[in-house]
Amino acid sequence: MEALLSVLIGVMTASAVYLLLRARIFPVLLGLSLLGYAVNIFLFASGRLQLASAPLVEHGLAQLPDPLPQALVLTAIVIGFAMTAFLVVLALRALHELGDDQLDGGDKP
Amino acid sequence: MNHLVVLPVLIPLLAGALLLLAGRAGKAVERSIGLIATAALLLVALLLLSHVAAGELLVYYGGNWPAPYGIVLVVDRLSALMLSLAAVLALASLLYAISGDDRLGPRFHVLFQMQLLGINGAFLTGDLFNLFVFFEILLIASYALQLHGGGRARVRAALHIVVLNLVGSAIFLIAIGAIYAATGTLNLADLAVKVAAASSEQAGLLRAGGLLLLVVFALKAALIPLGFWLPPAYAAASAPAAALFAIMTKVGVYAILRVHGLVFGPDAGEAASLLTPWLLPVGLLTMVVATFGVLASRELRRLLAHLVVLSAGTLILTLGLDSEAATSAALYYALNSTLVGGGLFLLADLIARERGEAQARLDREQAVARPALLGTLFFVGAVGVAGLPPLAGFAAKLYILQSAFLHTAASWVFAVILLSGLLVMVALSRAGSALFWRSGDTAVLQTASGLLPAAATTLLLSSTAILMLGGGTATAFTQATAAQLADRSAYIDAVMVNTSPHRKGGF
């Protein structure tokens, strides 16, 4: 499972970096979302991976899962969601004001 | 438990919520709420400063949970100093804003308070994940403040900042995940203990996490090669926003000083002195690039934005000297450069307003309406920021050079600081003569703006003189702060009390 998860995180991050380097607003948005997923799974895995364990706590279970990474991921998801929403609105405004969807242009008209 | 500690977070939060509700009650109500909240914040910050001046650490356990499990806010001398600095800067920026700039766009006052919430929270938190959360609050408010007033340049700059910082946040989370996986804690005091005792197996993960954190903080502090976003953004931002942003790069520097000083300090076992090989070269490079930026600027606000990068570079360079005296010098320099930098952004806007179409471009065009007042302020600000006697900029630079004297890289430090000082002086005198002397024969077109903005600007710029006059007190305090930062075990002991806070008297 560890190998599967690391490959998944790696592929998602690589795709995200590729999309980010396109430097056009829509691919960049997709790239940031993908990067967010990869990071969240990574953060989740930092509490160790376990199969067939209780979600939080159960009497008589020797190995309990770590609840903190779950809380961290939840916070990160909420913040990431807000940031993505803000970026979408800003991108629409930029498209309206600047007339193009390039991210790497200068500030000259 | 002292509830004063949580007020710098609560006041802006409640004021911001109140301002959202009061949005329809008119500008006068909004302005008074904003002013009262910011003045109260300054008061609380100064009270905290007097509380911790004797060396005590104030620890606030959120929900009264004991240290490694709950959320802690910690005030030591450094936190209190930064809180006070932010509050002074905020009050002056707000005084400037209520003279008219808050009408440029909606919800200025709400965003301003939220920005303060993020900044104060970042200075207070004793927990790595909460540092992330407060950074995000600070950032999302800064995106909107950056856009305040609208226009192409601001939208373009905001787009860059948002995308860069979203990538930065992802890196921050990766670093947090790596550090958590290796230690199982995110409380800074607990981390300091666990990292020092980490096995060599975990050291790689910890070092990677620590260096990723440096990348994130360097992005916030606008260090080269991660700082190219700053000049266009700050040059385009509205004046009160730009003045408040003068503290933002210092938040990044603060985070480096706090997290890396405490967790990856000299006694951190396998990951000890993680940053020592990095800070000095990065600081030198940042200073060199920023100095070229200052020389090449053809507009006053862009010149000032490059000066912000320059001061961040100087700070990191000084921290890279890695001694108590250097830390003390860096803090004294940070006080002066933040206040004067903020004041100069306000002054640049005053100049731009009075020159009408010519704005703040550095060419022979339009004279200002009040050359005597603005010229004097510009002279004071320029002397203060370039580091000439008799103002505090000079004392700060002297202090830095003195602390670098015995360092192995002293020749590099001396050469770069002195040369960049000279070149900044050249650029500023060229700017001053273009703005005030060579345009003397043109007719004055614009009427003078009121007294309040000039008063707010004077308040910030006069701080360089006050810091010079009170230099003894200020440096005594920064020395005590540096000594407290070096004493890691006192911080750890204060946060990680073995007895539950309930038994210590609690509420």
Side-chain angles (χ1 to χ4, degrees), chain B residues 407-427:
Chain B
H407 196 274
T408 43
S411 49
W412 282 97
V413 175
F414 270 70
V416 169
I417 289 189
L418 291 176
L419 265 179
S420 100
L422 175 71
L423 294 176
V424 165
M425 213 155 66
V426 169

Side-chain angles (χ1 to χ4, degrees), chain B residues 59-62 64-72 126-127 185-190 492-501:
Chain B
V59 186
Y60 187 86
Y61 300 91
N64 223 2
W65 286 86
Y69 309 109
I71 288 165
V72 287
D127 181 288
T185 182
L186 289 173
N187 179 297
L188 288 178
D190 199 21
I492 296 167
D493 290 343
V495 176
M496 307 284 294
V497 274
N498 288 325
T499 50
S500 138

Side-chain angles (χ1 to χ4, degrees), chain B residues 238-281:
Chain B
S238 62
L244 186 62
F245 286 171
I247 191 104
M248 296 257 288
T249 51
K250 271 69 178 184
V251 178
V253 177
Y254 166 86
I256 291 177
L257 189 57
R258 172 69 76 206
V259 175
H260 290 93
L262 185 66
V263 180
F264 299 101
D267 41 5
E270 298 268 348
S273 302
L274 188 62
L275 293 194
T276 313
W278 292 98
L279 292 184
L280 198 66

Side-chain angles (χ1 to χ4, degrees), chain B residues 180-447:
Chain B
Y180 185 78
T183 58
T185 182
L186 289 173
N187 179 297
L188 288 178
D190 199 21
L191 265 180
V193 178
K194 295 258 167 70
V195 168
S199 66
S200 53
E201 239 173 273
Q202 293 164 330
L205 205 51
L206 280 175
R207 294 176 67 90
L211 288 173
L212 279 175
L213 283 181
L214 174 65
V215 172
V216 180
F217 299 153
L219 179 67
K220 308 276 187 282
L223 303 179
I224 303 300
L226 299 169
F228 293 109
W229 57 270
L230 189 144
Y234 283 25
S238 62
L244 186 62
F245 286 171
I247 191 104
M248 296 257 288
T249 51
K250 271 69 178 184
V251 178
V253 177
Y254 166 86
I256 291 177
L257 189 57
R258 172 69 76 206
V259 175
H260 290 93
L262 185 66
V263 180
F264 299 101
D267 41 5
E270 298 268 348
S273 302
L274 188 62
L275 293 194
T276 313
W278 292 98
L279 292 184
L280 198 66
V282 167
L284 284 172
L285 185 69
T286 306
M287 284 190 76
V288 171
V289 172
T291 307
F292 285 129
V294 169
L295 276 180
S297 302
R298 281 179 296 176
E299 207 257 355
L300 183 59
R301 281 177 286 208
R302 192 169 276 254
L303 190 154
L304 297 177
H306 283 292
L307 279 179
V308 171
V309 182
L310 182 66
S311 78
T314 313
L315 272 173
I316 288 301
L317 167 84
T318 315
L319 292 180
L321 295 172
D322 208 15
S323 73
E324 234 178 90
T327 309
S328 166
L331 291 174
Y332 185 65
Y333 179 85
L335 291 180
N336 180 61
S337 72
T338 308
L339 293 172
V340 176
L344 280 173
F345 270 114
L346 297 183
L347 179 65
D349 189 60
L350 275 181
I351 292 172
R353 276 195 212 173
E354 296 195 359
R355 290 178 91 211
E357 279 292 295
Q359 286 292 309
R361 282 198 300 277
L362 300 176
D363 45 19
R364 181 202 161 95
E365 268 181 83
Q366 181 57 49
V368 294
R370 292 176 292 183
L373 175 71
L374 298 188
T376 311
L377 285 175
F378 184 82
F379 183 70
V380 171
V383 167
V385 82
L388 294 181
L391 296 178
F394 172 71
K397 278 211 172 144
L398 194 66
Y399 198 4
I400 290 177
L401 291 179
Q402 211 175 23
S403 71
F405 211 70
L406 294 173
H407 196 274
T408 43
S411 49
W412 282 97
V413 175
F414 270 70
V416 169
I417 289 189
L418 291 176
L419 265 179
S420 100
L422 175 71
L423 294 176
V424 165
M425 213 155 66
V426 169
L428 280 171
S429 51
R430 195 187 55 184
S433 46
L435 288 170
F436 296 106
W437 287 346
R438 273 188 267 146
S439 55
D441 50 348
T442 50
V444 171
L445 292 178
Q446 301 284 318
T447 49

Side-chain angles (χ1 to χ4, degrees), chain A residues 20 25 28 32 35 39 42-43 46 48 66 68-69 72 75-76 79 83 86-87 90-91 93-94 97-98 100 102-103 105-107 109, chain B residues 129 132-133 136 139-140 143-144 147 150-152 155-156 158-160 162-163 166-167 170 173-174 176-178 180-182 186 232 302:
Chain A
L20 280 174
I25 195 68
V28 164
L32 285 170
L35 190 61
V39 165
F42 178 80
L43 207 54
S46 71
R48 304 294 180 272
D66 189 347
L68 194 70
L72 300 186
T75 316
I79 290 177
M83 291 292 178
F86 182 80
L87 185 58
L90 180 62
R93 173 140 172 213
E97 291 234 7
L98 308 172
D100 64 39
Q102 295 292 330
L103 268 174
D107 40 31
Chain B
F129 196 78
F132 167 75
V133 173
E136 294 302 307
L139 284 171
I140 202 157
Y143 304 153
L147 282 167
R152 295 172 63 98
V155 171
R156 175 83 76 186
L159 207 53
H160 288 172
V162 175
V163 171
L166 280 176
V167 177
L173 285 173
I174 294 173
I176 286 177
Y180 185 78
L186 289 173
R302 192 169 276 254

